Amino acid sequence: MPAKPKFYLTTPIYYTNGLPHIGHTYTTVVADVIRRYKRMRGYEVVMTTGTDEHGVNVERAAKKAGVPESEFVAKMADAWRALWNELGLPAEEFVRTTDLRHVRTVQWLFKLFRENGYVYKGHYTGQYCIYDNAFVNDAKPGDNCPDCGRPTETLTEENYFFKLSAFQKPLLDLYKKNPDFIQPESRKNEIVSFVEGGLKDLSITRTTLRWGIPVPGEEPHVFYVWFDALTAYLSAVGGPDYEKRGMWPADLHLVGKDIIRFHTVYWPAFLMAAMLPIPKQVWAHGWFLMDASKMSKSKGNVVLPRPIANMLGMDALRYYMLRETVFGQDGNFSYDALVTSYNANLANGLGNLSSRTLTMIQQYCGGRIPKPTDSHVKSTILNLAFTQELGMIVGNNDLGEVGDYNTLNFSGVLQHIERLISNVDGYLVQQKPWAMAKDDAKVQDLANVLYDAAEALRIITILIHPIMPESTEKIWKQLGQPGKLDEERIDKLAWGQLKSGTEIGTVTAVYPRIDHQEAIERIESMANEELNPTAPPALAPTAAPSIAAGAAAATAPAASEKIGIEDFAKVEMRVGQIKTAERIVGADKLLKLTVDIGTEIRQICAGIAQFYEPDSLIGRKVAVVTNLAPRKLRGVESNGMIIAASVGPEGRPVLAGFLEDVEVGARLK
Ligand code: ME8
């Protein structure tokens, strides 16, 4: 079998002085979509992300946290990696700039510069902040430090310089010979004129910075952070031994527009100086803005991904980000638009198509994909519509079509898919399979129409899979399809491949409708908890299974430690009776209960949804802790806690109850 073609793509190597917000998530999501798409076209794909851990900002943040830098960055790197995993975005390579493999690569690259005559020792003079121990870029004598506001001083330090000036012509040649190297086009013009304006040599070592990669034999010189960070793309796939891994050069560096110059000027110049292969393309996307300004922690306008993923699912966020913003341009982020997009495109659009089609197959065709006539498959109007749109989405070389996925026009991909969905909806309304089902003479017509709808659903599910990987797997199973969806070939799709007779799975709503206002309030409430973790952490329903309801997870005293009766008396417990119970969208482990505790009816969330059907709980008497401070769980207020035993290694909750009838509100002592 011939080897698969390779594709290597990267996200930026993110700074470790904060955690990912929606802006970082956007770049990583786009990388993930491209990775999945390329895989579905038969490529061997490696995606790299990672953490940029050196420099004065980290030095400061560690100092503030009162821990050594190495400890600080290790924790941050773990947190970044864990969050990407949680969001379904794990990369093949997660590179840390403190990794040994990376340190070796940086030092090796510098050695090549030296051998090839592209570095020299010189002096750098600039404005320096003695309080922050850092040069202030672009400051003039007399300027204050933008960070601490105190006056800067003019300082000269010895540095190694990289002969960037020697690369003006080679860079301009590179841009000319590879017109797609910088994307989008508007950014390319900006970079070309910057380089045409002349390039100054670049200082690539520092002696005023301590927390960095040492220049071998030249201590106290450490490498400049950007030289350090850019090299991580190469370290991740073999460094000095890159040829063995076979992934370098990168096919695509995805970056935000803020860092395009580093990637399209410095980085290729570094690689040329070391005589290494140059990446094929750098794509700079726009920013996500909040109220028209760039998100930043100091402005207090950051949007976090986790609360959204918890409430609506990561796929809803992915859909919204890719559909509403033209890739390359700036976009505005709003919860309002996000939830509107969820209800319109997912609950009503794809979700509705999926459940109505599958429910009809369940009801009218005995739960099996019906058999259409051969002539119908060839001539159905949907076949024509789909074949045409397919070319526009994934490209069709025979017809010379480019395909929106290939040009990273994700908004275009989704618009085509939306059109397909509404085509199928319109077709069903016109054909009325529910009426055909009542007419014995129309058995074959019914089979034809429902086959069409199911085949359309299969193709749409494959086409949208790179963008919505999690929920499409569910639709795939409900459609009764064998094998893994991500192993389908997106470029070999054709109408009529769905097998008749296949038994479909259990039909459930993949994107349940949600109340607009409630969704926003809950997302905001969860975000608030994550940003201001002053309150005790919310109990993850699985974290302390001995209590069924949400409350602060107080650390239990060691078994041998005894408490006095006065401590126990602080806990007020009463008999309660469950009045209502319902599931909570976006929290599969929680039930929202209303409980009569004698004096009032309380709303309490309990982490028992996987073990108790809501209806079976109505009227049941339970033991309730009634004097806990109210808390929000997954954004839903909980006013108390239901007591349960924790059984087995998984901590299955079993509700505590009473063998004799007891009065509601009676105190437990
Ligand atoms: O620049 N909208 O790291 P960084 C869209 N360590 N994308 C955004 C965004 C927003 N509001 N905010 C951030 C660094 N991003 C360096 C990179 S690479 C060798 C070194 C994304 O943590 C966008 O991709 O500041 C941007 O380029 C990147 O995060 C900056 O991440």
Side-chain angles (χ1 to χ4, degrees), residues 501-529:
T502 311
E503 194 174 347
I504 65 168
T506 314
V507 185
T508 55
V510 179
Y511 314 103
R513 265 197 85 80
I514 46 169
D515 179 77
H516 190 96
Q517 210 44 43
E518 188 199 332
I520 295 176
E521 279 168 17
R522 283 180 46 203
I523 294 171
E524 283 179 339
S525 155
M526 284 188 268
N528 194 26
E529 266 183 51

Side-chain angles (χ1 to χ4, degrees), residues 12-15 21 23-24 27 52 226 233 256 258-259 285 287-288:
I13 307 299
Y14 302 109
Y15 287 130
H21 58 58
H24 309 112
T27 316
D52 186 352
W226 271 99
Y233 299 136
D258 46 337
I259 57 176
H285 63 69
W287 282 341
F288 258 113

Side-chain angles (χ1 to χ4, degrees), residues 257-538:
K257 65 181 185 183
D258 46 337
I259 57 176
I260 184 153
R261 195 181 288 178
F262 297 101
H263 285 80
T264 56
V265 181
Y266 299 177
W267 183 224
F270 292 158
L271 291 165
M272 285 176 190
M275 296 184 198
L276 292 170
I278 312 291
K280 306 255 173 68
Q281 190 170 64
V282 177
W283 236 105
H285 63 69
W287 282 341
F288 258 113
L289 307 173
M290 248 327 235
D291 309 322
S293 68
K294 187 169 182 248
M295 259 172 243
S296 83
K297 207 165 178 186
S298 55
K299 282 193 216 132
N301 63 351
V302 289
V303 176
L304 301 176
R306 188 188 271 121
I308 297 171
N310 283 345
M311 181 68 213
L312 304 176
M314 204 44 203
D315 284 359
L317 176 61
R318 293 167 70 113
Y319 194 107
Y320 167 73
M321 291 199 294
L322 297 181
R323 170 69 173 87
E324 300 304 321
T325 304
V326 174
F327 191 62
Q329 296 175 11
D330 287 349
N332 248 311
F333 189 93
S334 97
Y335 286 136
D336 196 53
L338 166 72
V339 177
T340 301
S341 157
Y342 173 88
N343 275 331
N345 299 316
L346 303 189
N348 282 355
L350 180 57
N352 185 44
L353 174 67
S354 166
S355 54
R356 84 196 284 206
T357 300
L358 293 168
T359 305
M360 284 193 282
I361 292 178
Q362 195 69 267
Q363 285 177 356
Y364 309 145
C365 311
R368 288 184 185 274
I369 306 288
K371 184 155 178 47
T373 60
D374 288 348
S375 62
H376 176 80
V377 173
K378 287 200 195 89
S379 64
T380 175
I381 185 165
L382 286 188
N383 182 346
L384 302 176
F386 270 68
T387 308
Q388 194 174 35
E389 300 276 342
L390 260 175
M392 293 191 261
I393 297 171
V394 297
N396 182 330
N397 289 338
D398 302 339
L399 300 176
E401 286 159 342
V402 179
D404 283 340
Y405 261 127
N406 302 328
T407 54
L408 311 192
N409 179 7
F410 305 110
S411 180
V413 168
L414 288 171
Q415 283 172 50
H416 286 298
I417 292 178
E418 281 165 20
R419 199 147 64 214
L420 286 175
I421 293 173
S422 68
N423 267 342
V424 186
D425 281 340
Y427 176 72
L428 288 173
V429 168
Q430 188 203 21
Q431 297 289 324
K432 298 191 184 49
W434 45 90
M436 290 175 174
K438 293 188 190 126
D439 186 345
D440 286 345
K442 298 244 161 101
V443 175
Q444 186 57 55
D445 290 346
L446 177 67
N448 288 347
V449 171
L450 289 184
Y451 179 86
D452 280 353
E455 172 60 338
L457 183 61
R458 180 188 72 93
I459 294 179
I460 289 169
T461 306
I462 295 172
L463 284 176
I464 207 170
H465 177 68
I467 295 175
M468 301 214 292
E470 210 180 288
S471 53
T472 45
E473 287 287 359
K474 294 185 191 159
I475 300 178
W476 193 246
K477 288 226 168 62
Q478 294 192 26
L479 249 177
Q481 295 305 295
K484 293 184 67 190
L485 178 48
D486 59 5
E487 284 165 10
E488 292 293 311
R489 283 294 292 259
I490 205 166
D491 53 339
K492 304 224 160 115
L493 271 175
W495 186 268
Q497 291 166 334
L498 179 66
K499 265 177 61 190
S500 303
T502 311
E503 194 174 347
I504 65 168
T506 314
V507 185
T508 55
V510 179
Y511 314 103
R513 265 197 85 80
I514 46 169
D515 179 77
H516 190 96
Q517 210 44 43
E518 188 199 332
I520 295 176
E521 279 168 17
R522 283 180 46 203
I523 294 171
E524 283 179 339
S525 155
M526 284 188 268
N528 194 26
E529 266 183 51
E530 202 174 316
L531 287 169
N532 306 300
T534 42

